[in-house]
Amino acid sequence: MAKDIQGVGLGIASRFAGSEFARKFGLRKPAEKLAYAGTKKGFEVIGQMVAKKAAKKGDAQILLPEPSKHGLFDLTLSEEQQMIKDTVRSYAEEVVRGLAHDANEAMTLPDTFLQDIMDLGLNFFSVPESLGGAAQAYSPTTSAIIAEELAWGDFSLAYATLAPVAVANAIVKWGTDAQKEKYLPAYLAETPVQAAIAVQEPAALFNPAKLSTKAKKTKTGFEISGVKTLVPFGGNANMYLVAARYKRKNRLFLVPGDAPGLSWKAAPAMGLRAVATGTLTMEKAPLSSDALLGGKDFDYQTFIDLGQLHWCALAIGACQAALDHLIPYVNEREAFGEPISHRQSVAFMVANIGIELESMRLMVWRAAALAEMGKPFHREAYLAQLLCADKAMEIGTNAVQLLGGHGFTKEHPAERWYRDLRILACINGGMHL
């Protein structure tokens, strides 16, 4: 596995050497040397070089700059976005996909999975340059692309990869300077950060706007009580970003994984099995005075909308994987002396998957692009979530159906895609682009 990751690291460094990003910061020649060496530490070294370059510019704000405002609506990927898309797809194909079946069966992450992700250095792009990372701008569109390509390898492992990043993104967007300085350096350390956003509660027809988890002010900080479900990492998370009701408003609280009053109970779900989901119970858990994320500028609805778009992007990746698996299957599988794709009922079903998949992708990218431009996007995010929840389940069902008896077995991954995609109709937020 390490050898595969090293190969992916070589590809990343090669693509980076030819990018406009490398030219802008004068990193082309160093990156070419990294590509020649083929080291899986390439991204880490690149991140450090970028940080040194940024440091020469003088003191910078910890908050990432907002993208420039412009009126043109264009979903064409930039050179950097296309490079990222190709690189993440290579990693998903060469590493993630091969781990998916066993991780699902074992209901736990592969032993070195999170560490291998860290060694690739992708964590540097969750942290602003001013804190030693390599992130330059806030880009929900790029985040959606990464989520989609990772989920093409496996939905559950993609979620495990991006859950800690989601916490970092929320801290970068809304956290105070003190919170950024306290929590973000952990993403640049040698040990993987296991962090997750906890929004979902065990209630029928759960509405993220009506939280039963409550927080209140105390003499030393805060106190939080409530129950969250579908929480990943088997109770081993370093930190949870918990949604709770505080002073008649919905806010987020940074809750250490080892805080007193916390308990975790395994609750395996039909999907997302590799991330070992469970129930997190908080009983008057004491929190520090800086546990409340951000200040008056915090926007809970935007937080939920970005989370829904993230889940949609993961679903799109899994649906694309299903389509890519189905096309050669129906062309090679023969019945009555000809490929089953010659039957209109089969051909139309495959074509519809392609059509609905493109509509899902465009809806999500449109909402993400509006968010990136600083424009209102709640309506677009809501419509994207409705469409993706409906069509993802339809695509998952049809993938099983088209494979016939094979679709019901673990010989093909269709049954795993079906189970993972079901989460989209159940989850409310819990990720952050």
Side-chain angles (χ1 to χ4, degrees), residues 124-154:
F124 277 92
F125 292 88
S126 302
V127 181
E129 292 176 343
S130 56
L131 287 179
Q136 288 186 293
Y138 172 60
S139 179
T141 308
T142 301
S143 296
I145 292 167
I146 292 172
E148 178 181 332
E149 295 305 323
L150 279 175
W152 185 89
D154 181 64

Side-chain angles (χ1 to χ4, degrees), residues 24-217:
K24 180 179 178 181
F25 283 92
L27 301 176
R28 181 160 291 171
K29 288 189 179 297
E32 287 173 349
K33 292 180 180 179
L34 289 172
Y36 180 77
T39 173
K40 68 180 182 180
K41 285 286 188 180
F43 250 118
E44 180 179 346
V45 177
I46 289 171
Q48 292 170 349
M49 290 189 293
V50 169
K52 291 178 180 178
K53 291 280 185 179
K56 293 180 180 179
K57 298 179 181 179
D59 294 336
Q61 290 186 350
I62 295 176
L63 183 66
L64 292 178
E66 291 290 339
S68 59
K69 302 292 192 298
H70 55 82
L72 181 64
F73 178 72
D74 185 8
L75 291 177
T76 303
L77 300 185
S78 67
E79 177 186 350
E80 288 79 10
Q81 287 174 327
Q82 188 62 53
M83 178 188 72
I84 290 171
K85 178 181 173 69
D86 294 341
T87 299
V88 177
R89 170 60 69 89
S90 296
Y91 178 75
E93 184 173 10
E94 296 174 29
V95 179
V96 177
R97 177 156 288 191
L99 301 173
H101 177 271
D102 289 348
N104 176 77
E105 292 299 300
M107 291 193 295
T108 187
L109 296 174
D111 290 339
T112 62
F113 181 75
L114 293 177
Q115 186 64 57
D116 292 332
I117 292 291
M118 284 282 293
D119 288 344
L120 277 175
L122 298 178
N123 51 302
F124 277 92
F125 292 88
S126 302
V127 181
E129 292 176 343
S130 56
L131 287 179
Q136 288 186 293
Y138 172 60
S139 179
T141 308
T142 301
S143 296
I145 292 167
I146 292 172
E148 178 181 332
E149 295 305 323
L150 279 175
W152 185 89
D154 181 64
F155 193 116
S156 191
L157 293 178
Y159 176 42
T161 301
L162 297 175
V165 176
V167 174
N169 288 343
I171 295 173
V172 168
K173 184 170 178 61
W174 284 298
T176 64
D177 286 353
Q179 288 171 335
K180 293 183 179 75
E181 291 172 348
K182 179 178 179 180
Y183 294 105
L184 293 180
Y187 286 83
L188 307 179
E190 293 294 326
T191 305
V193 176
Q194 295 190 58
I197 296 173
V199 174
Q200 195 78 11
E201 296 179 349
L205 303 177
F206 169 67
N207 183 347
K210 298 179 180 179
L211 299 170
S212 62
T213 301
K214 300 292 193 299
K216 66 178 183 180
K217 186 74 174 175

